[in-house]
């Protein structure tokens, strides 16, 4: 007799592992299918805001991550055109529940902590799903190796090119017309930077630096490449040279430039930014029957709010709560169980729809303002909008998504 899984999650990224762990904490077993041969734990940092720490605490991994990552005290925004400080905001303030907590966490460490909390055998590597088929109340998954798998619930956490989002009929993510490059530097004897988030805006780019701990500094650079400039994205060496050229012709500190110079040539990696048209989420299917999406498969967004990974962690808590209520409420199988699962996923979709719309739209607008090199927009940004944009970072992070 063919085995039937209760829950199959496609993708062992932040959303997939966090959802699996949330379900595990609620007593629900899941199987995570990952197409790569091992955990894809790239070394770059992830800004973890207050909302994400609430999710990580609910999952039981928050304290371990705090011990290896420094708490950031605030953000300083500076004009790359004039060199003038345009705004400064402290993170050491009170949120709706407790104090704000902002840290730059190495993505590899986050994923490893989530994986280590899962039961052995939860993740099945080298398992790429290529097709989804209806099989009564179940979903039949066809894998690249020719095998099949049947499940009661299917959750797509498979990124911007999600096969599950495509099955649901969600619109393809759009190209934002901007690109982002990331890197980090290890200073064996310590970097000496203050524990704060430093950003520069203007001259057609946005760039920032965040200490992860006493020895590691993470940085990012977003820009709008012309047709002639797009070729630099294909070469780490050309990309690094391009970034340094832009920074040296702007009012950026020598200490900041030194961090980029210290980056390994293989570290600067540039990719086009993509986002899902937010209005498509208002009428699109986030869930359908016993299938849903989470994380980047659900709401890919530009990085200007720093909420991509954080909102994926929010998804995991809400989804684990709604789904566990459905699965643990009835173990008899059949239509009744299917209907409960369907209603549970619809509840999840309803709770996450407007929040995702808001984050995608806000991030997109912020990115356009921050990165503009127009004289009028630059004047308005530096004189009037910079403080508002800094406050938005904390306001969007101060969100109550409920308990696990």
């Amino acid at each position: 007799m063919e085995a039937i899984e209760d829950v199959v999650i496609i993708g062992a990224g932040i959303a997939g592992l966090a959802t699996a762990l949330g379900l595990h904490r609620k007593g629900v077993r899941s199987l995570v299918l990952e197409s790569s041969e091992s955990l894809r734990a790239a070394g770059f940092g992830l800004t973890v805001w207050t909302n994400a720490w609430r999710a990580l605490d609910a999952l039981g991994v928050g304290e371990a991550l705090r011990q290896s990552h420094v708490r950031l005290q605030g953000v300083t925004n500076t004009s790359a055109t004039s060199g003038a400080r345009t705004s400064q905001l402290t993170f050491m303030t009170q949120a709706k529940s407790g104090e704000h907590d902002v840290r730059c966490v190495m993505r590899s460490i986050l994923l490893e902590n989530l994986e280590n909390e899962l039961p052995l055998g939860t993740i099945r590597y080298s398992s790429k799903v290529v097709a989804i088929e209806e099989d009564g109340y179940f979903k039949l998954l066809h894998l690249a190796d020719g095998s099949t798998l049947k499940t009661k619930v299917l959750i797509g956490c498979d990124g911007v090119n999600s096969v599950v989002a495509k099955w649901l009929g969600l619109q393809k993510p759009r190209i934002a017309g901007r690109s982002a490059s990331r890197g980090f530097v290890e200073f064996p004897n310590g970097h000496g930077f203050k524990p704060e988030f430093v950003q520069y805006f203007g001259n057609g780019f946005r760039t920032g630096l965040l200490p992860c701990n006493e020895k590691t500094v993470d940085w990012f650079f977003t820009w709008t490449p012309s047709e002639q400039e797009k070729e630099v994205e294909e070469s780490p060496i050309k990309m690094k040279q391009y970034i340094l050229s832009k920074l040296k012709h702007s009012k950026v500190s020598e200490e900041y430039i030194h961090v980029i110079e210290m980056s390994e040539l293989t570290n600067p990696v540039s990719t086009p930014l993509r986002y899902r048209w937010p209005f498509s989420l208002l009428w699109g299917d986030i869930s359908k029957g016993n299938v849903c999406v989470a994380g980047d498969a659900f709401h890919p967004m530009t990085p200007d709010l720093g909420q991509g990974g954080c909102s994926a962690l929010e998804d995991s808590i809400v989804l684990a709560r709604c789904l566990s209520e459905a699965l643990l409420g009835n173990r008899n199988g059949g239509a009744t169980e299917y209907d409960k699962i369907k209603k549970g996923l619809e509840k999840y979709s309803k709770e996450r729809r407007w929040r995702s719309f808001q984050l995608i739209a806000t991030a997109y607008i912020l990115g356009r303002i921050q990165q503009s090199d127009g004289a009028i927009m630059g004047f308005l940004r530096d004189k009037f909008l910079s403080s508002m944009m800094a406050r938005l970072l904390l306001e969007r992070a101060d969100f109550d998504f409920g308990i696990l």
Side-chain angles (χ1 to χ4, degrees):
M1 183 177 178
E2 184 179 15
I4 299 174
E5 299 289 340
D6 282 339
V7 181
V8 169
I9 300 169
I10 304 178
I14 293 172
L17 295 185
T19 300
L21 183 53
L23 289 170
H24 173 61
R25 299 296 191 215
K26 298 294 287 185
V28 176
R29 181 187 178 278
S30 64
L31 175 65
V32 180
L33 301 180
E34 169 56 42
S35 60
S36 64
E37 296 179 356
S38 60
L39 200 64
R40 290 186 289 180
F44 304 127
L46 171 77
T47 309
V48 178
W49 296 86
T50 307
N51 54 324
W53 285 112
R54 291 173 183 162
L56 292 170
D57 286 336
L59 295 172
V61 298
E63 274 311 305
L65 290 167
R66 285 187 180 92
Q67 291 175 13
S68 55
H69 297 89
V70 66
R71 184 180 179 186
L72 301 179
Q73 296 178 356
V75 58
T76 299
N77 294 329
T78 302
S79 169
T81 306
S82 66
R85 181 180 296 175
T86 57
S87 66
Q88 194 167 19
L89 179 72
T90 179
F91 292 157
M92 314 299 280
T93 58
Q94 195 72 17
K96 293 176 182 176
S97 177
E99 290 187 340
H100 277 289
D101 193 351
V102 185
R103 302 169 196 251
C104 184
V105 174
M106 297 303 288
R107 186 174 182 272
S108 57
I109 297 177
L110 171 58
L111 291 179
E112 287 164 4
N113 272 263
L114 292 172
E115 181 187 34
N116 291 339
E117 292 294 314
L118 290 169
L120 288 175
T122 298
I123 308 173
R124 185 181 297 176
Y125 293 105
S126 301
S127 300
K128 180 179 177 62
V129 176
V130 294
I132 303 167
E133 187 180 347
E134 299 274 5
D135 188 358
Y137 290 120
F138 307 108
K139 292 296 174 288
L140 185 65
L141 309 180
H142 294 266
L143 278 62
D145 62 5
S147 63
T148 59
L149 193 65
K150 191 178 290 187
T151 182
K152 297 178 183 177
V153 182
L154 176 61
I155 302 173
C157 299
D158 45 342
V160 293
N161 297 315
S162 170
V163 65
V164 181
K166 182 179 179 181
W167 186 89
L168 288 170
L170 287 172
Q171 287 187 14
K172 285 185 178 181
R174 298 185 176 189
I175 300 294
R178 301 162 56 213
S179 293
S181 185
R182 302 293 302 266
F184 70 98
V185 183
E186 295 278 357
F187 293 86
N189 299 319
H191 50 68
F193 288 100
K194 294 179 181 178
E196 66 176 10
F197 179 13
V198 177
Q199 288 193 101
Y200 289 89
F201 303 137
N203 283 352
F205 67 83
R206 167 180 172 257
T207 189
L209 179 151
L210 305 94
C212 296
N213 49 46
E214 292 77 12
K215 296 183 179 181
T216 307
V217 175
D218 187 76
W219 61 266
F220 64 84
F221 181 87
T222 65
W223 56 304
T224 304
S226 65
E227 286 299 321
Q228 295 75 23
E229 292 170 335
K230 285 183 178 179
E231 66 176 26
V232 307
E233 295 182 283
E234 300 173 5
S235 166
I237 296 176
K238 290 181 179 179
M239 190 68 238
K240 182 176 179 179
Q241 291 172 342
Y242 177 84
I243 294 172
L244 288 172
S245 174
K246 293 288 285 186
L247 297 182
K248 289 177 179 179
H249 286 86
S250 302
K251 300 293 185 178
V252 177
S253 71
E254 289 296 326
E255 293 83 4
Y256 192 104
I257 293 174
H258 178 64
V259 170
I260 310 300
E261 290 174 332
M262 290 284 290
S263 294
E264 295 289 336
L265 293 181
T266 55
N267 274 350
V269 177
S270 184
T271 54
L273 297 178
R274 288 185 282 178
Y275 69 103
R276 196 178 302 285
W277 180 239
F279 288 96
S280 71
L281 294 181
L282 297 183
W283 59 73
D285 287 324
I286 300 166
S287 71
K288 186 187 295 182
N290 54 356
V291 180
C292 73
V293 283
D296 281 346
F298 172 12
H299 44 61
M301 64 187 74
T302 59
D304 308 283
L305 266 179
Q307 281 292 331
C310 298
S311 56
L313 289 166
E314 288 184 9
D315 290 344
S316 71
I317 300 299
V318 178
L319 181 51
R321 178 176 68 238
C322 294
L323 189 52
S324 62
E325 288 173 357
L327 287 170
L328 299 178
N330 189 319
R331 285 287 188 179
N332 295 325
T336 301
E337 185 177 39
Y338 174 86
D339 289 341
K340 286 199 170 189
I341 291 169
K342 180 175 180 288
K343 289 179 181 178
L345 296 186
E346 287 173 348
K347 181 180 179 183
Y348 157 75
S349 300
K350 183 178 180 180
E351 289 192 32
R352 299 303 297 161
R353 192 182 300 273
W354 176 249
R355 169 68 168 168
S356 300
F357 173 94
Q358 182 187 54
L359 291 178
I360 295 173
T362 305
Y364 182 85
I365 293 169
L366 277 184
R368 288 296 179 185
I369 295 172
Q370 291 170 343
Q371 204 172 295
S372 173
D373 58 356
I376 296 176
M377 181 56 71
F379 174 79
L380 293 173
R381 177 189 62 230
D382 295 347
K383 295 294 183 182
F384 304 107
L385 300 177
S386 185
S387 296
M388 178 272 291
M389 292 189 295
R391 288 194 302 272
L392 270 176
L393 297 175
L394 285 185
E395 289 174 6
R396 291 295 180 264
D398 196 5
F399 181 73
D400 182 8
F401 47 83
I403 62 174
L404 179 59

